[in-house]
Amino acid sequence: MIKLYYWLIIVLNLAAALCSAGKYSREDFPPGFVFGAATSAYQVEGAAKEDGRTPSVWDTFSNGGGDVAVDQYHKYKEDVKLMAETGLEGYRFSISWSRLIPNGRGPVNPKGLQYYNNLINELISHGIQAHVTLLNYDHPQALEDEYGGWISRKMVKDFTNYADVCFREFGDRVSTWTTINEPNIFAVGGYDQGITAPGRCSFPFGFNCSKGNSSYEPYLAGHHMLLAHASTVRLYRKKYQRKQDGTIGVNLYAFWLLPLTNSTEDVTATQRAIDFYFGWFLDPLVFGDYPEIMKKNVDSRLPVLTKQESKLVKGAFDFVGLIHYTTVYAKDNPDSLKFEYRDFGTDMAVTQLLDADNPYSIFPEKLPIRPWGLQGVLEYIKQTYGNPAVYIHENGQVTPHNFSLEDTPRVEYLQAYIGGVLDAIRNGSDTRGYFVWSFLDVFELLGNGFGSSYGLYFVDVEDPDLRREAKQSAHWYSNFLKGNVQVDRENISSIAQGHSFVG
């Protein structure tokens, strides 16, 4: 009931102040606030079969879609130069575990070690902070083949040992570490729906999966990710943090959710969905246990955190990273709890809609601009979880890949959401950074490869040299970061998409 009260207060606050009007600029943000852009290893590096790298589960799942990607492995100096010219203050990227430690455990690959040292050194030499994610959906295929990857508790030890190598080799130059990228979506996408690597699922959930158990495995995989994260944080704090002076956290995919109608059922369903999406990981990290509604609805399929595990997990973060793109509407769906077969979605018992009459799709051609939704997430985390430090790790607008260099929808989106972050900070949120997804047009994992893009820079995938070219959004972001732009939010044409109840 306490969380529901918080949620209602947040909605009322947002209703009272839809989107703050007025102007803002880079200098309105607090000292030390970091603006940057993000990518991930499989989506940008390429060189999938070079210099000792072995396949990851994403190589297998996508049948080589990222073999070349946008070839940052060979073009990192060119890309870092572009970052510096843009004015980026931070670059968030991930390390390919199978490039650094090809067998998942054991010997380190010298060529992989050299690449990441070179990339980090190049960033530092241009005054750009390195914000590093240890795992972005791409654990080594060798470990998947050996024991099933994240459905095995063996991953906790192997992941912690991999992280130890990263801290030892790169930690003197890395300002922030993220352990696992959006484990809430990784666990569901990879072990329930089968839409992300490693593509495990079972009838009647998911598509074309040859193995898996959608009713049980997402919770088991999520449990092991949580334990691996906490084990890694304990290692970092004990062995490295004091001398390296860095921070470590985890990030979550974070819709904001609003009730489709103002009925009690939809309001309660909205809180339930928030508990399933956020609480699944944040409740253990802050309070030491899974949300009560998850324990009730999932019952024995949800692993139990022992007293020792609860102690390990509780407080195991310095910051929370958020990956936010838009707000969805929640409608109560109690009948799903009566199904013979159950999974994450049916356990949650909520239907999610992007708009009133259109089923929510994770692959829209264009995202609605709802900056108050990001404010809602930040306000909820502030009130529910004690106002932890937060980084916006991904936020951006999708367009078709060959849309145009004049990507006005992306510029409007960034102007609106960056303004929303500023409003949240002024309302007390301890938000410390904002990273645009993505720096370049990358191979999209949850979209259709190069068919859609989020990049500030266009990449011509038909050009053998994979030419990069600045879009309008890159020019705007650069001018904003350099203090040459003052945004007048009253002139953002798409910002007025409201958030009143739909029904």
Side-chain angles (χ1 to χ4, degrees), residues 137-301:
Y137 289 75
D138 59 346
H139 58 275
Q141 184 65 42
L143 300 183
E144 187 69 21
D145 293 341
E146 181 182 342
Y147 53 68
W150 287 105
I151 62 172
S152 170
R153 198 182 181 97
K154 293 179 180 178
M155 277 292 273
V156 176
K157 180 178 180 180
D158 282 344
F159 181 81
T160 306
N161 290 338
Y162 156 62
D164 194 6
V165 172
C166 294
F167 298 150
R168 183 184 73 226
E169 299 294 342
F170 314 127
D172 59 324
R173 291 151 291 155
V174 173
S175 57
T176 65
W177 293 97
T178 303
T179 53
I180 300 172
N181 187 69
E182 52 187 33
N184 53 343
I185 298 300
F186 184 16
V188 174
Y191 296 87
D192 177 354
Q193 300 170 346
I195 61 173
T196 70
R200 297 177 67 96
C201 62
S202 62
F203 177 85
F205 313 102
F207 303 95
N208 300 319
C209 296
S210 60
K211 61 180 69 173
N213 183 327
S214 296
S215 294
Y216 178 64
E217 286 189 2
Y219 300 112
L220 183 63
H223 187 72
H224 292 151
M225 291 177 201
L226 181 65
L227 296 180
H229 160 79
S231 172
T232 299
V233 171
R234 179 173 63 179
L235 167 73
Y236 183 68
R237 287 176 170 173
K238 181 178 180 180
K239 193 173 178 182
Y240 296 103
Q241 191 168 41
R242 181 173 296 180
K243 61 183 178 181
Q244 294 181 351
D245 195 29
T247 59
I248 189 167
V250 68
N251 67 29
L252 299 173
Y253 194 97
F255 294 123
W256 184 232
L257 294 109
L258 290 173
L260 184 67
T261 73
N262 59 3
S263 68
T264 301
E265 292 79 7
D266 284 355
V267 171
T268 303
T270 302
Q271 179 60 54
R272 188 166 63 246
I274 290 172
D275 282 339
F276 266 73
Y277 277 122
F278 301 175
W280 186 8
F281 288 87
L282 284 183
D283 272 33
L285 289 171
V286 176
F287 307 122
D289 201 3
Y290 292 117
E292 289 300 319
I293 190 63
M294 289 193 74
K295 290 194 287 186
K296 176 184 176 181
N297 284 13
V298 183
D299 198 25
S300 61
R301 290 174 290 121

Side-chain angles (χ1 to χ4, degrees), residues 426-457:
R426 287 172 171 169
N427 201 37
S429 173
D430 189 12
T431 304
R432 300 185 180 184
Y434 174 91
F435 291 79
V436 175
W437 185 269
S438 52
F439 179 63
L440 304 166
D441 288 347
V442 301
F443 181 83
E444 285 297 334
L445 301 183
L446 296 179
N448 52 352
F450 287 112
S452 59
S453 71
Y454 292 79
L456 299 172
Y457 284 85

Side-chain angles (χ1 to χ4, degrees), residues 360-382:
Y360 174 68
S361 168
I362 61 173
F363 310 132
E365 290 188 3
K366 178 184 174 184
L367 292 166
I369 298 179
R370 297 165 175 168
W372 41 263
L374 180 51
Q375 289 177 255
V377 173
L378 293 172
E379 183 69 14
Y380 182 84
I381 288 175
K382 182 185 79 174

Side-chain angles (χ1 to χ4, degrees), residues 461-481:
V461 295
E462 303 299 324
D463 178 5
D465 195 44
L466 295 168
R467 172 179 55 89
R468 281 84 157 122
E469 189 169 352
K471 301 178 188 177
Q472 179 187 2
S473 56
H475 291 298
W476 177 84
Y477 197 45
S478 179
N479 281 316
F480 171 75
L481 296 180

